[in-house]
Each structure stands twice: as C-alpha cells, then as structure tokens.
Amino acid sequence: MPKKTVVVHYRRMEHIGEPLPGTTLEAACREAFCTQIDGTRIADRLRHRIWTRDQAGEDYLFANFYHDDGASLFGDVTHFTKGHMQALFQAGLIDEPVVPIRQMPAPEDMEYIHSIMYWLIVSNHVFILQSQSLKTRTLEDYLTWLISDKAATRAKPFQIVLSSKFDPAAVGGDLSNITGITIGGIIAPGVEADGEVEGPAQHVLHEAVQRGAITARRASAFAQAREILSTLLGGSAQADEYLRSVPQEAELSLEVHIGYKSRKRKIDRAPLKALETGLRNLDDGDLKVTARDGHKGPDGDIRLREPVSVETIGALINPVDAREKMLAVYQSLVKNEKIAP
C-alpha cells in the first residue's frame, strides 16, 4: 500500500482556569461522545457530531471516525462547506491560448470535503496529524463545542487549551538553557497601506505579551506587521508611510525576539511554560530558539513532534494506520522520557 511521510504534533491539555477539574481530557471527551441525544449516543449518530460554525449555516466541522479502546480515543475532524463547488478546467484544450474554467457541484446528497485532520487522546496527551488548513486551534474549538455545547457536560465559559511542549533536544538537552525565542520572519510580499496584500492572503496567529500574560488573536499578515510597526514608529500614520516605501517586489521581514537575561545558572521554567501555551498555534517555522551556549535550534524543531510514514488510500490517509502510528509516537515519547505516561 502507498505511504507518505507526515508529522505527528504533540500537545497537552492545560487546565487554565480549571476547565476539567478532577478528570482528564480523555475522560471528558469520552463522556461527551457517550452522552445521549434523543435516545442515541453522540458517538452513534453523525448528525449529533456536526458543528455549524458560522451564522450563515454553510461552514461545518464534524468528527467522522471515532474509536475508543478504553485506554485512548482516536478520531478526525472533517471540514466542508454546504453547496461548495469544485473548479475544473478543460484539459483536452491545453494547446489553445485559453481554456474554459467551470465549477461543478458535488453529486446529489454529497458534499465536497475541504480537509481532514486526525487526533489521538491519551489521558491529557494529544497527538495531531494536521492538514494544510486544519490545525490545533481547530481541534481546540471543536472539542470545546462538543463538550460544552453539544453534550453540555461542562458549564460555560469553557475552553479547551492544547499547549505545545518545547523539545529539550532543540537546545542541546536542557530547556533551562534557553535564552531567547524568535517569532516571525517574512510577512508578505507587496504589502500596501490600505491593508491589501498582493497574492494569496496569509493568515497567522499574532501573539502579544502583556503584563506577564500571553494573549492570542488572529490577524492577517499585513495587519500584524502594521500593528507592530505602529507601536515602534509611534502611530498608524507613520507605519503606513513606512509600508508605502516598501517596494512591491520586496518581501517585508518582521521578527519579535523574546529573550532572557539572568545571573542565575538556571532560568525559571514558568516563563517557558507560558510561551508553550501562548505560542501553541503559531506555525512551526515561525519559531526559532537560542540557548545559553549559543546553540540554535533548527527552524520549526523547537516543539515536540515526530515524522511518521502512514499508509494512504488514494490521496487520503488510512485512518487505521494513522491511529497505530500515533500510538507508536506516544509510546516513543514516554520511553524517551520526554513526556510522562
């Protein structure tokens, strides 16, 4: 069977504000999936697992696969838009100057799928196979909806937070040696002062540190650059003037560096733990780490993750093999003492 290499990302449930006191994420999700609606468990009827996440009622997420072996939970998150049409071009006319492009609806009683991601939960440990468009934040939001809205097994306000964990190997084996973390890089080509970006729009998670707490919010790549420049240059007008001076063919690079200076031999783990949580939804390539001895971790290798080879069925990942490989990653991290059972 064909295979492809993918990356299993590690996350851990954080009890910020004690959302799940006295239990684990695995137990809370199992309770939610076993909750009955109209006499049927949520796990036994797909209709109960479909989340309409926009007011127009067109954008949906749902867990299609669900497997509970008593020691772990495995599933997916599938994304589709109601009535979405697929664009095609006339391949038989490639010798013509221009070929017609048209949109085709899905067959009757079917919908086109945008993307699928997979997850495995063991106690408070979470292992994720992200897709190009579905990341950890999607799983946080879906599980939050499942537990607090659909199953209503936890009272609101309630929010699942899946924190990343820095890999000691990224800084030579000791996280306390970290002296700096750099966030960012190339923002976007051809940014303009009115907020338009030439080419595909880029969306990133902007992280700000305020009074010792980390807050996260979504912003476009341009908006992130504009806000930071406004702070540095003394206002939005000055930022806009600077952005207008950037040549259209140039790429604007903007980085934020968080550093630590201390006479102590060891740096307190608490600030690093806060960054693991606050920066959890940034792309791997947006983070770089520097250690006290000058060691620099490879871009994107600061957080715990492992590449695996999974079987594919056509272009789709085989979920049975994905579950086995994710369990193997859990066992590997426990064996190497990077996480506790």
Side-chain angles (χ1 to χ4, degrees):
M1 184 172 289
K3 293 186 176 183
K4 72 174 182 179
T5 300
V6 294
V7 176
V8 176
H9 298 264
Y10 173 77
R11 296 292 187 268
R12 179 178 173 82
M13 171 67 191
E14 286 294 337
H15 292 282
I16 297 175
E18 292 298 322
L20 295 173
T23 188
T24 64
L25 179 61
E26 178 190 338
C29 288
R30 180 177 289 113
E31 180 184 14
F33 277 108
C34 290
T35 298
Q36 292 198 358
I37 297 178
D38 299 330
T40 305
R41 294 192 317 159
I42 289 176
D44 296 331
R45 181 168 294 173
L46 179 59
R47 180 185 300 276
H48 296 330
R49 304 195 299 276
I50 299 178
W51 174 31
T52 307
R53 63 173 183 172
D54 69 328
Q55 294 183 348
E58 297 178 348
D59 195 57
Y60 299 88
L61 294 175
F62 65 91
N64 188 30
F65 296 100
Y66 174 69
H67 180 81
D68 182 356
D69 64 2
S72 66
L73 302 179
F74 171 79
D76 71 339
V77 175
T78 299
H79 177 215
F80 77 95
T81 301
K82 185 176 181 180
H84 177 75
M85 293 193 291
Q86 183 67 48
L88 304 96
F89 75 95
Q90 193 79 31
L93 301 177
I94 58 175
D95 290 325
E96 300 296 325
V98 179
V99 297
I101 295 177
R102 56 185 299 193
Q103 289 185 310
M104 296 290 291
E108 187 176 358
D109 294 329
M110 301 189 77
E111 298 284 357
Y112 286 118
I113 290 175
H114 294 305
S115 195
I116 304 173
M117 69 182 297
Y118 295 93
W119 49 267
L120 174 78
I121 301 174
V122 183
S123 184
N124 281 322
H125 304 294
V126 184
F127 302 86
I128 302 170
L129 283 179
Q130 300 180 140
S131 69
Q132 187 171 0
S133 60
L134 300 179
K135 309 295 184 183
T136 303
R137 180 62 180 269
T138 305
L139 182 59
E140 288 180 340
D141 291 344
Y142 181 79
L143 294 180
T144 296
W145 166 82
L146 177 72
I147 294 171
S148 65
D149 287 76
K150 194 63 181 182
T153 52
R154 292 294 183 276
K156 296 180 179 180
F158 175 84
Q159 176 63 51
I160 294 291
V161 175
L162 302 179
S163 176
S164 60
K165 182 175 181 180
F166 294 156
D167 186 353
V171 286
D174 192 346
L175 287 176
S176 63
N177 282 332
I178 289 179
T179 58
I181 296 174
T182 302
I183 307 164
I186 293 175
I187 298 300
V191 294
E192 297 180 358
D194 61 2
E196 296 296 325
V197 179
E198 292 188 355
Q202 300 182 29
H203 293 279
V204 298
L205 188 68
H206 173 62
E207 302 287 346
V209 180
Q210 296 178 342
R211 298 179 183 176
I214 293 180
T215 61
R217 61 181 172 79
R218 289 198 177 278
S220 69
F222 171 83
Q224 179 188 16
R226 186 173 184 271
E227 182 178 355
I228 294 174
L229 287 172
S230 294
T231 301
L232 294 175
L233 301 178
S236 57
Q238 290 86 340
D240 289 344
E241 181 179 356
Y242 174 81
L243 289 170
R244 289 191 191 98
S245 70
V246 178
Q248 289 296 313
E249 67 276 8
E251 292 178 328
L252 176 64
S253 178
L254 187 63
E255 294 184 343
V256 177
H257 181 78
I258 300 174
Y260 302 98
K261 290 184 178 180
S262 174
R263 294 181 179 178
K264 295 181 179 179
R265 188 175 182 83
K266 299 288 186 181
I267 298 294
D268 195 313
R269 183 74 176 80
L272 294 177
K273 187 174 181 62
L275 288 175
E276 287 176 334
T277 301
L279 304 180
R280 68 192 184 280
N281 291 321
L282 279 177
D283 289 340
D284 288 329
D286 288 337
L287 297 177
K288 306 171 188 176
V289 63
T290 303
R292 184 184 300 276
D293 60 1
H295 179 95
K296 293 185 178 180
D299 294 359
D301 285 349
I302 185 175
R303 294 183 288 210
L304 279 183
R305 59 180 193 165
E306 282 196 15
V308 297
S309 180
V310 295
E311 296 177 355
T312 57
I313 304 173
L316 300 177
I317 290 174
N318 181 347
V320 176
D321 189 54
R323 175 179 172 271
E324 293 178 358
K325 297 300 170 56
M326 295 166 87
L327 279 171
V329 170
Y330 166 69
Q331 294 162 357
S332 172
L333 293 180
V334 170
K335 179 180 179 181
N336 293 322
E337 300 183 341
K338 291 189 175 182
I339 63 173

